[in-house]
Coordinates of all heavy atoms in Angstrom, one line a residue:
R243 N 3.1 -19.2 10.0 CA 3.8 -20.1 10.9 C 4.6 -19.3 12.0 O 5.7 -19.7 12.4 CB 4.7 -21.1 10.2 CG 4.0 -22.0 9.2 CD 5.0 -22.9 8.4 NE 5.4 -24.0 9.2 CZ 4.7 -25.1 9.4 NH1 3.6 -25.3 8.8 NH2 5.2 -26.1 10.1
L254 N 10.2 -21.7 16.2 CA 10.0 -23.2 16.3 C 10.5 -23.9 15.0 O 10.4 -23.3 13.9 CB 8.6 -23.6 16.6 CG 7.9 -23.0 17.8 CD1 6.5 -23.5 17.9 CD2 8.7 -23.4 19.1
T255 N 11.0 -25.1 15.2 CA 11.3 -25.9 14.0 C 10.0 -26.5 13.5 O 8.9 -26.3 14.0 CB 12.2 -27.1 14.4 OG1 11.4 -28.0 15.3 CG2 13.4 -26.7 15.1
K256 N 10.0 -27.2 12.3 CA 8.8 -27.7 11.6 C 8.1 -28.6 12.6 O 6.9 -28.5 12.7 CB 9.2 -28.4 10.3 CG 8.0 -28.9 9.6 CD 8.5 -29.6 8.3 CE 7.4 -30.0 7.4 NZ 6.6 -31.2 8.0
I257 N 8.8 -29.6 13.2 CA 8.1 -30.6 14.0 C 7.5 -29.9 15.3 O 6.4 -30.2 15.7 CB 9.0 -31.7 14.4 CG1 9.4 -32.5 13.2 CG2 8.4 -32.6 15.5 CD1 8.2 -33.2 12.5
E258 N 8.3 -29.0 15.9 CA 7.8 -28.3 17.1 C 6.6 -27.5 16.8 O 5.6 -27.5 17.6 CB 8.9 -27.3 17.6 CG 10.1 -28.1 18.2 CD 11.3 -27.1 18.4 OE1 11.3 -26.0 17.9 OE2 12.3 -27.6 18.9
F259 N 6.6 -26.8 15.6 CA 5.4 -26.0 15.2 C 4.2 -27.0 15.1 O 3.1 -26.6 15.5 CB 5.6 -25.3 14.0 CG 4.5 -24.4 13.5 CD1 4.3 -23.1 14.0 CD2 3.5 -25.0 12.6 CE1 3.2 -22.4 13.6 CE2 2.4 -24.2 12.3 CZ 2.2 -22.9 12.7
E260 N 4.3 -28.1 14.4 CA 3.2 -29.0 14.1 C 2.7 -29.6 15.4 O 1.5 -29.8 15.5 CB 3.6 -30.0 13.1 CG 3.8 -29.4 11.7 CD 4.2 -30.4 10.6 OE1 4.5 -31.5 11.0 OE2 4.4 -29.9 9.5
L261 N 3.6 -29.9 16.3 CA 3.2 -30.4 17.6 C 2.3 -29.4 18.4 O 1.3 -29.7 18.9 CB 4.4 -30.8 18.4 CG 4.2 -31.2 19.9 CD1 3.3 -32.4 19.9 CD2 5.5 -31.6 20.5
L262 N 2.8 -28.1 18.4 CA 2.1 -27.1 19.0 C 0.7 -26.8 18.3 O -0.3 -26.6 19.0 CB 2.9 -25.8 19.1 CG 2.2 -24.6 19.7 CD1 1.8 -24.8 21.2 CD2 3.1 -23.3 19.6
E263 N 0.7 -26.8 17.0 CA -0.5 -26.6 16.2 C -1.5 -27.6 16.6 O -2.7 -27.3 16.8 CB -0.2 -26.6 14.8 CG -1.4 -26.3 13.9 CD -1.1 -26.4 12.4 OE1 0.0 -26.9 12.1 OE2 -1.9 -26.0 11.6
V282 N 1.1 -35.8 13.9 CA 2.2 -34.9 13.7 C 3.2 -35.6 12.7 O 3.6 -34.9 11.7 CB 3.0 -34.6 15.0 CG1 4.3 -33.8 14.7 CG2 2.1 -33.8 15.9
W283 N 3.6 -36.8 12.9 CA 4.5 -37.5 12.0 C 3.8 -38.0 10.8 O 4.4 -38.2 9.7 CB 5.3 -38.6 12.7 CG 6.5 -38.0 13.4 CD1 7.8 -38.0 13.0 CD2 6.5 -37.4 14.7 NE1 8.6 -37.4 13.9 CE2 7.9 -37.0 15.0 CE3 5.6 -37.1 15.7 CZ2 8.3 -36.4 16.1 CZ3 6.0 -36.5 16.9 CH2 7.3 -36.1 17.1
S293 N 11.2 -40.0 21.1 CA 11.2 -38.8 20.3 C 10.2 -37.8 20.7 O 10.4 -36.6 20.7 CB 11.1 -39.1 18.8 OG 12.2 -39.9 18.3
L294 N 9.0 -38.3 21.0 CA 7.9 -37.4 21.3 C 8.2 -36.6 22.6 O 8.1 -35.4 22.7 CB 6.6 -38.1 21.5 CG 5.4 -37.3 21.9 CD1 5.2 -36.1 21.0 CD2 4.1 -38.1 22.0
Y297 N 10.8 -33.9 21.9 CA 10.2 -32.7 21.2 C 9.3 -31.9 22.1 O 9.3 -30.7 22.0 CB 9.5 -33.1 19.9 CG 10.4 -33.2 18.7 CD1 10.8 -34.5 18.3 CD2 10.8 -32.1 18.1 CE1 11.7 -34.6 17.2 CE2 11.7 -32.2 17.0 CZ 12.1 -33.4 16.6 OH 13.0 -33.5 15.5
L301 N 9.9 -28.0 22.9 CA 8.8 -27.0 22.8 C 8.5 -26.3 24.1 O 8.4 -25.0 24.1 CB 7.5 -27.7 22.4 CG 6.2 -26.9 22.2 CD1 6.5 -25.8 21.1 CD2 5.1 -27.8 21.8

Side-chain angles (χ1 to χ4, degrees):
R243 299 180 78 85
L254 301 179
T255 66
K256 181 177 186 293
I257 293 295
E258 291 165 355
F259 180 88
E260 291 177 357
L261 175 57
L262 178 59
E263 182 182 14
V282 173
W283 275 263
S293 295
L294 177 55
Y297 274 101
L301 181 58

